[in-house]
């Protein structure tokens, strides 16, 4: 239909020779007529796309590195895990897939909203999506008081107002639930793939881990010496490094 409309809109198409017409149609077909096959997304296929297109968005994390993180941290159904993810949600996605909707993954992120884009590419079921809870760095501290929610009589709201109110209410209550789960502690592991130095992350989050639980840290650089080395280069020097330890 697109090709037909393009031809019809060409004012001088009828004046072309048969050869020129065929050539013109073939050129438009190559531009507009595409054949593709939709496939169900997998963690590997989504990783492959990002790693080929823009590996820096996932902090140059290789698929074998991701699998090692998930294995070393013993991600399994009914686990409760803390994740600091600056890989567009690649690490969070891997954890959610393994949990399969059974358990909790609490993602800690920068800014007001998280940037876990890869999660929505996976077409997870509602049950799996509900296993993900998120908090910003500002929201994890007990002294950071969140303004109380202004509960209203829903029967007095218009349809438009009610829709906005319910969305705002659900968001507020989800944040409160996530904070409560964090402060209860007893997490089964901490996975970190962040742009920040790990020391400050560990100081803040390790107290929420249960004893004898794994901590796995991924970083593209093994070490950074201020004023002497420069970690940002135009080419990748490898697949990064992993540090594994047990919180005792």
């Amino acid at each position: 239909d697109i090709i037909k409309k393009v031809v019809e809109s060409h004012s001088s198409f009828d004046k072309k020779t048969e050869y020129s017409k065929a050539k013109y149609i073939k050129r438009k077909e190559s531009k507009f007529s595409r054949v593709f096959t939709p496939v169900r997304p997998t963690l590997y296929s989504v990783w492959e796309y990002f790693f080929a297109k823009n590996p820096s968005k996932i902090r140059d994390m290789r698929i074998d590195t991701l699998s090692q993180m998930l294995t070393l941290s013993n991600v399994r159904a009914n686990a409760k895990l803390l994740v600091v993810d600056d890989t567009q949600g690649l690490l969070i996605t891997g954890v959610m897939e393994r949990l399969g909707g059974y358990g909790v993954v609490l993602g800690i992120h920068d800014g007001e909203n998280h940037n876990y884009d890869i999660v929505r590419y996976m077409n997870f079921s509602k049950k799996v999506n509900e296993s993900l809870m998120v908090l910003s760095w500002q929201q994890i501290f007990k002294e950071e008081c969140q303004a109380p929610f202004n509960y209203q009589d829903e029967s007095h709201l218009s349809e438009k107002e009610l829709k906005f109110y319910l969305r705002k209410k659900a968001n507020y209550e989800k944040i409160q639930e996530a904070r409560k789960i964090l402060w209860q502690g007893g997490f089964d592991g901490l996975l970190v793939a962040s742009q920040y130095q790990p020391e400050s992350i560990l100081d803040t989050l390790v107290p929420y881990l249960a004893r004898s639980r794994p901590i796995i840290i991924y970083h593209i650089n093994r070490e950074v010496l201020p004023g002497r080395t420069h970690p940002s280069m135009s080419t990748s020097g490898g697949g990064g490094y992993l540090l594994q330890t047990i919180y005792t």
Side-chain angles (χ1 to χ4, degrees):
D1 290 341
I2 293 175
I3 305 300
K4 183 180 178 181
K5 289 184 178 181
V6 168
V7 170
E8 290 174 349
S9 64
H10 195 302
S11 58
S12 59
F13 182 78
D14 292 334
K15 299 177 182 179
K16 292 178 178 289
T17 64
E18 291 302 317
Y19 174 78
S20 296
K21 289 180 181 179
K23 186 178 179 181
Y24 177 82
I25 291 175
K26 186 175 181 180
R27 186 168 67 247
K28 295 302 179 181
E29 285 177 342
S30 65
K31 182 178 181 180
F32 295 110
S33 183
R34 302 294 178 88
V35 177
F36 62 90
T37 303
V39 295
R40 185 179 297 277
T42 65
L43 185 62
Y44 180 83
S45 64
V46 174
W47 164 85
E48 189 175 37
Y49 170 80
F50 275 88
F51 195 78
K53 185 178 181 182
N54 194 346
S56 63
K57 281 196 171 186
I58 57 172
R59 299 192 60 75
D60 297 279
M61 184 182 287
R62 297 195 313 249
I63 193 65
D64 59 307
T65 304
L66 175 59
S67 65
Q68 287 185 64
M69 293 190 73
L70 298 175
T71 300
L72 293 173
S73 55
N74 194 26
V75 178
R76 67 199 184 283
N78 299 313
K80 189 167 75 166
L81 297 155
L82 269 172
V83 182
V84 182
D85 183 351
D86 289 337
T87 64
Q88 299 281 306
L90 178 67
L91 183 56
I92 287 276
T93 299
V95 173
M96 291 174 66
E97 186 180 57
R98 286 208 177 186
L99 291 180
Y102 298 92
V104 174
V105 50
L106 179 54
I108 311 297
H109 62 87
D110 271 335
E112 186 175 346
N113 300 304
H114 68 77
N115 189 26
Y116 302 151
D117 288 343
I118 293 179
V119 172
R120 59 190 178 87
Y121 295 153
M122 294 295 293
N123 291 336
F124 282 140
S125 66
K126 182 181 179 181
K127 183 177 179 64
V128 173
N129 280 323
E130 287 178 346
S131 68
L132 173 63
M133 309 192 81
V134 297
L135 286 173
S136 69
W137 282 108
Q138 291 77 16
Q139 292 167 338
I140 69 176
F141 299 108
K142 293 183 179 180
E143 59 271 19
E144 187 70 26
C145 296
Q146 189 177 12
F149 185 73
N150 181 25
Y151 287 96
Q152 303 178 39
D153 186 349
E154 298 177 10
S155 63
H156 292 167
L157 300 176
S158 66
E159 184 178 349
K160 184 177 180 181
E161 290 172 335
L162 180 61
K163 185 177 181 181
F164 175 78
Y165 170 80
L166 291 177
R167 185 169 64 248
K168 193 173 180 181
K169 175 185 173 183
N171 184 59
Y172 172 83
E173 292 179 345
K174 194 166 185 178
I175 291 174
Q176 294 305 309
E177 183 183 0
R179 296 180 87 183
K180 183 179 179 181
I181 289 175
L182 173 67
W183 297 339
Q184 284 174 347
F187 281 83
D188 295 311
L190 170 62
L191 295 89
V192 178
S194 174
Q195 58 182 319
Y196 299 117
Q197 293 291 347
E199 294 88 346
S200 60
I201 295 174
L202 296 179
D203 288 342
T204 303
L205 298 180
V206 162
Y208 298 113
L209 289 180
R211 297 290 180 172
S212 301
R213 295 303 193 273
I215 301 172
I216 313 297
I217 301 172
Y218 167 82
H219 206 282
I220 188 60
N221 309 109
R222 184 173 62 179
E223 56 191 15
V224 177
L225 306 177
R228 283 177 284 176
T229 61
H230 196 296
S232 298
M233 308 298 288
S234 59
T235 58
S236 174
Y241 301 86
L242 285 180
L243 174 65
Q244 177 198 16
T245 187
I246 301 294
Y247 176 52
T248 57

